[in-house]
Amino acid sequence: MRRIVFLDFDGVVAWCWAGKSAKERLRRDRVAVLNTVIARTCCLVVVCSTWRLNPRTGEGFAGPQLQAWLREAGFIGEIIGITCHIGGEGVRGLEIQRWLDENEGEKSRRS
């Protein structure tokens, strides 16, 4: 069974700097820390960050776009999914649980 890490971006691999694009906010040194976790645990990545959302449209960056930006910052992992958006405060855990429930076989398929 493979391990999965649910990745938030802001404060983890990116910092909020006014006037910077999303891609420019990614920090290579923080991506390197994530790479260490991935290398040590052989985990796969599911994005649970608000980066998956656009505040104006409710749509966000697709997994391939996020993966490409992370790759440019040195990312060695694989994004296998993005959690749904339920909306509201304090629902991140519910979004993650829904992804786990809907992707129950994911762990065994990727082993």
Side-chain angles (χ1 to χ4, degrees), residues 1 6 13 27-29 32 36 39 43 51 77 85 88 95 102 108:
M1 182 181 326
F6 289 88
V13 294
R27 298 254 322 252
R28 285 186 159 279
D29 60 327
T36 299
C43 66
W51 279 42
H85 175 64
E95 294 168 346
E102 291 174 355
S108 61

Side-chain angles (χ1 to χ4, degrees), residues 9 16 43 54-56 58 74 81 88 103 108:
F9 275 58
C16 299
C43 66
N54 178 320
R56 285 177 284 158
N103 296 276
S108 61

